[in-house]
Amino acid sequence: QKTESRASRRGAFSAGAAALAVAVVIAFNLLVAQIPTRYTQLDISPNNIYHITDTSVDYMAALSEDVSIHVLANKDAMDQRIVRFLDQYGELSGRLSVEYTNPTTYPSVLSAYGVEANTIVVSCEATGRQETIAIDDLIEYDIYTYMMSGQRNETAFDCEGQLTSAVDLVVSESSRRAYTINDHGEQGLSASVEDLMKKSHFSVEEVNVLMDGVPEDCDLLIS
């Protein structure tokens, strides 16, 4: 009887230990599921494309309005680098939400937003403003190489720049005007600089200061 009792206790202990082990595993998995993606997935990309700058991190942390990032595309068919970046970006603030709608399944969503498929719509209900980003524009390619050889050589991964710019536009309603001086045939801005100006919500025009002076609506004068 003592042997049977000890065997029974050993059996009960083994069952209890097994149940405890399962509980620990379940609790661990639940805990890991709550950790933001940027801490559980290592960035092993050669150009560190998933890194989000402190500028965007601080800006999103200070958001005072809710912003929706609505991806109108087939998530499974998207470049998974973009999907992963959106996952991490959406975790920067409790005021950011990222959702996907496949326009093939729900075509009415395109007319509701007035956009084409494969578009990201960034909107803020509080301001009523909306900005759109073409998904194809998030990864830039060397156009010259593509035209000459048909090869798509990637030159830039611009998810952060375009998303942060769009969020800033819909929440701040900011619009700025910059002028470049052309008094003496000065060279215009390069395409890359114009792109940066656009992301900062500057519209750029030329002005002849000697003839017309500095316009009253000028926020930035570039000489």
Side-chain angles (χ1 to χ4, degrees):
Q1 291 182 347
K2 290 183 179 180
T3 301
E4 291 178 357
S5 178
R6 285 195 297 270
S8 177
R9 286 197 297 270
R10 284 197 300 271
F13 175 80
S14 298
L20 177 62
V22 170
V24 169
V25 170
I26 292 175
F28 177 77
N29 288 335
L30 290 174
L31 178 63
V32 170
Q34 302 303 311
I35 300 176
T37 306
R38 61 182 182 275
Y39 298 127
T40 60
Q41 295 185 359
L42 298 180
D43 182 2
I44 59 175
S45 59
N47 297 318
N48 200 27
I49 63 175
Y50 301 115
H51 172 71
I52 300 176
T53 64
D54 291 341
T55 300
S56 290
V57 171
D58 294 342
Y59 184 90
M60 298 306 153
L63 277 179
S64 59
E65 303 291 353
D66 293 336
V67 175
S68 171
I69 300 175
H70 199 172
V71 186
L72 309 182
N74 180 354
K75 184 178 181 180
D76 295 333
M78 289 175 58
D79 188 312
Q80 291 304 298
R81 293 172 296 179
I82 296 176
V83 173
R84 176 176 165 184
F85 188 90
L86 286 169
D87 288 343
Q88 295 184 187
Y89 197 87
E91 293 169 346
L92 295 179
S93 171
R95 290 191 172 276
L96 283 178
S97 64
V98 179
E99 58 181 326
Y100 293 80
T101 300
N102 187 342
T104 302
T105 306
Y106 303 99
S108 61
V109 73
L110 299 179
S111 57
Y113 282 109
V115 299
E116 297 180 351
N118 298 317
T119 297
I120 297 175
V121 178
V122 180
S123 60
C124 176
E125 185 177 355
T127 64
R129 299 199 66 169
Q130 171 182 306
E131 184 73 359
T132 60
I133 303 170
I135 293 176
D136 288 342
D137 291 342
L138 295 177
I139 300 178
E140 300 176 5
Y141 300 89
D142 185 336
I143 300 299
Y144 179 78
T145 301
Y146 179 73
M147 293 177 63
M148 296 298 293
S149 64
Q151 295 181 342
R152 295 169 66 90
N153 293 336
E154 298 177 2
T155 58
F157 185 82
D158 195 31
C159 279
E160 179 185 355
Q162 296 200 44
L163 283 170
T164 299
S165 176
V167 171
D168 178 54
L169 182 62
V170 300
V171 299
S172 66
E173 302 184 73
S174 58
S175 180
R176 311 175 182 95
R177 189 175 296 276
Y179 288 90
T180 59
I181 297 176
N182 66 354
D183 295 4
H184 302 95
E186 287 85 355
Q187 186 176 0
L189 301 178
S190 66
S192 59
V193 173
E194 286 188 352
D195 185 52
L196 290 173
M197 297 293 288
K198 181 180 179 182
K199 289 177 183 177
S200 298
H201 316 312
F202 277 97
S203 60
V204 182
E205 297 181 22
E206 291 186 351
V207 64
N208 189 316
V209 176
L210 294 178
M211 296 291 293
D212 305 318
V214 178
E216 293 183 359
D217 62 351
C218 178
D219 296 301
L220 176 65
L221 186 64
I222 303 173
S223 59

